[in-house]
Amino acid sequence: MDERLASRADRLDTYLETHDVEAVWFARPNSFAWLLGGDNVVDRDAPVGVAAAGYDGDEFHVVTDNIEATRLLHEEVPHEGVRIHRYQWYEGSLASGVASVSPTPAAADFDVPGFNDVDASTVRQPLTESDIEAYRELGRDVASAVERVCRELEPHDTEHEAASGLRVTLHAMGIETPVSLVGGARRAQQYRHYTPTDEQLGDYALVSVTAQRDGLYASCTRTVAFDAPDWLESRHEKTMRVEVEALAATKRVAADGGTAGEVFDAIRDAYDDVDNSDEWLNHHQGGAAGFAGREWFAAPDADDAVHAPMGYAYNPTIEGAKSEDTVLVGTDETEVLTTTGRWPTRTITSDDGSIELERPEILHIETE
């Protein structure tokens, strides 16, 4: 059994024991990718893929129909250590296929009659060493693509044009873009989720993505200014400071075995400290990231466990400004994953001095 499967088996053995089930199955794309490293997606609009991956305490299994079985075996799942079960496409469904081969009682992350539900997010946390290495590669690639597109922007470009450039550039690197937001000067101030339109960028733009490859998700935002409004620099700096305080709190709370609600309390305090106490009300603040865009969100009274090592993507906003990257918070070190080293940055230190990070500055582009 390879290292990846061995690490998954260790974690799932614990799950089987603590939940008193004989098998657990994953058909949602991010959890299928977490377990076996492959892609079970044909229809991007479908919440469940064309195959389910399972573990019964002894072996790993994949259930799919006869249309997909050979392709998945050749291209998407490990050749060793995984048993493929196929059913005729016209004779059954993914749920009935899983039910026909699984021992019971069992759990699944999709609807299989008689099976328990599984909260896959809790199983996927924290990240393993192999997850972290793949995350570093994804983070560098996502930041490289976003920054490359940003450097080519001009005030008369439309939000749609900028978003199209993002999607094409990322897709050429094998990266999907479930979220691609571009807000020009007017709409970035008016909306927190600036879904792109045919409006021109104007004086400045916020460019944000959440991108996915091999089941892992990375988020980042960059700010480009052509004729920046006077207030933009100050608001941008405040969002950077809130973000760093969120990460410092994450490190503390993870060490103490605390919850996402405790991180949120620190975020709310950070908004108070930069004299924008109510801004957190206008947008979610992000949270843990990994095999989902957000495994959980920092929110009042959230009781999700805070883990390390784990990816975190906080996204504080203050009207018209935003700071966001995907950051690996470990037991000792804190590492920005969505970085290239080729974007202007500023060093921001948390109030307690526990972390010091380079945060992306506004990129000022001169126009003729």
Side-chain angles (χ1 to χ4, degrees):
M1 186 182 297
D2 68 23
E3 181 181 347
R4 179 193 186 90
L5 290 183
S7 70
R8 298 319 193 224
D10 288 343
R11 192 166 294 183
L12 292 178
D13 283 335
T14 301
Y15 182 87
L16 298 181
E17 181 179 354
T18 58
H19 290 77
D20 197 24
V21 293
E22 298 296 320
V24 60
W25 295 86
F26 303 98
R28 294 187 180 275
N30 52 346
S31 290
F32 184 97
W34 169 80
L35 185 56
L36 297 182
D39 188 351
N40 69 343
V41 175
V42 171
D43 180 357
R44 294 287 168 191
D45 285 337
V48 173
V50 296
Y55 177 71
D56 62 8
D58 294 313
E59 294 182 287
F60 291 89
H61 303 263
V62 169
V63 172
T64 190
D65 62 27
N66 63 298
I67 301 170
E68 308 297 342
T70 301
R71 178 182 65 83
L72 292 176
L73 179 61
H74 289 170
E75 298 180 348
E76 299 295 348
V77 302
H79 292 177
E80 297 181 2
V82 179
R83 291 183 61 189
I84 303 289
H85 307 268
R86 68 187 75 196
Y87 60 91
Q88 293 297 310
W89 65 269
Y90 55 88
E91 291 184 341
S93 66
L94 188 58
S96 65
V98 167
S100 71
V101 302
S102 178
T104 55
D109 71 345
F110 70 116
D111 187 18
V112 181
F115 283 30
N116 298 334
D117 294 331
V118 54
D119 180 359
S121 180
T122 61
V123 179
R124 297 190 298 253
Q125 300 178 68
L127 299 173
T128 66
E129 284 302 318
S130 61
D131 296 335
I132 291 168
E133 286 306 312
Y135 222 162
R136 287 186 174 117
E137 292 182 14
L138 173 64
R140 285 192 296 268
D141 286 348
V142 169
S144 176
V146 170
E147 292 174 7
R148 197 155 66 241
V149 169
C150 283
R151 290 182 186 279
E152 298 299 321
L153 294 178
E154 298 180 357
H156 56 75
D157 290 335
T158 68
E159 295 167 344
H160 271 317
E161 288 170 335
S164 177
L166 283 172
R167 289 190 289 266
V168 169
T169 304
L170 287 161
H171 199 267
M173 304 165 79
I175 301 172
E176 300 292 331
T177 51
V179 178
S180 53
L181 305 176
V182 178
R186 184 186 72 83
R187 296 182 67 254
Q189 297 174 62
Q190 191 167 5
Y191 308 113
R192 303 298 162 126
H193 286 154
Y194 28 87
T195 54
T197 69
D198 60 1
E199 186 167 320
Q200 292 184 349
L201 300 180
D203 290 343
Y204 84 101
L206 300 183
V207 178
S208 304
V209 300
T210 295
Q212 181 270 139
R213 182 172 64 196
D214 297 334
L216 284 166
Y217 289 73
S219 301
C220 70
T221 293
R222 297 293 182 266
T223 305
V224 178
F226 312 103
D227 185 14
D230 293 340
W231 49 261
L232 182 59
E233 191 76 35
S234 172
R235 292 183 194 175
H236 180 76
E237 180 181 353
K238 289 179 178 182
T239 62
M240 291 192 292
R241 294 194 177 281
V242 174
E243 184 188 14
V244 169
E245 292 304 322
L247 291 163
T250 299
K251 186 176 179 181
R252 291 194 304 271
V253 172
D256 293 340
T259 67
E262 295 174 67
V263 176
F264 174 78
D265 291 341
I267 292 172
R268 184 163 48 191
D269 289 344
Y271 275 107
D272 289 341
D273 290 342
V274 297
D275 297 322
N276 288 93
S277 297
D278 293 335
E279 283 292 327
W280 67 269
L281 293 165
N282 299 315
H283 189 223
H284 74 76
Q285 300 302 304
F291 286 88
R294 299 294 188 273
E295 297 280 10
W296 52 254
F297 289 90
D301 302 320
D303 61 0
D304 307 86
V306 180
H307 294 283
M310 192 64 202
Y312 291 91
Y314 296 108
N315 44 253
T317 60
I318 294 174
E319 186 181 2
K322 180 179 181 179
S323 185
E324 177 186 32
D325 268 310
T326 303
V327 179
L328 177 68
V329 176
T331 54
D332 296 315
E333 299 297 324
T334 304
E335 173 187 350
V336 180
L337 298 174
T338 45
T339 185
T340 63
R342 298 187 298 273
W343 190 269
T345 63
R346 183 189 311 186
T347 303
I348 303 292
T349 304
S350 62
D351 286 345
D352 66 2
S354 63
I355 66 170
E356 183 178 276
L357 289 181
E358 294 298 312
R359 306 307 307 121
E361 286 272 35
I362 301 166
L363 180 68
H364 294 271
I365 297 178
E366 294 185 4
T367 58
E368 297 180 357

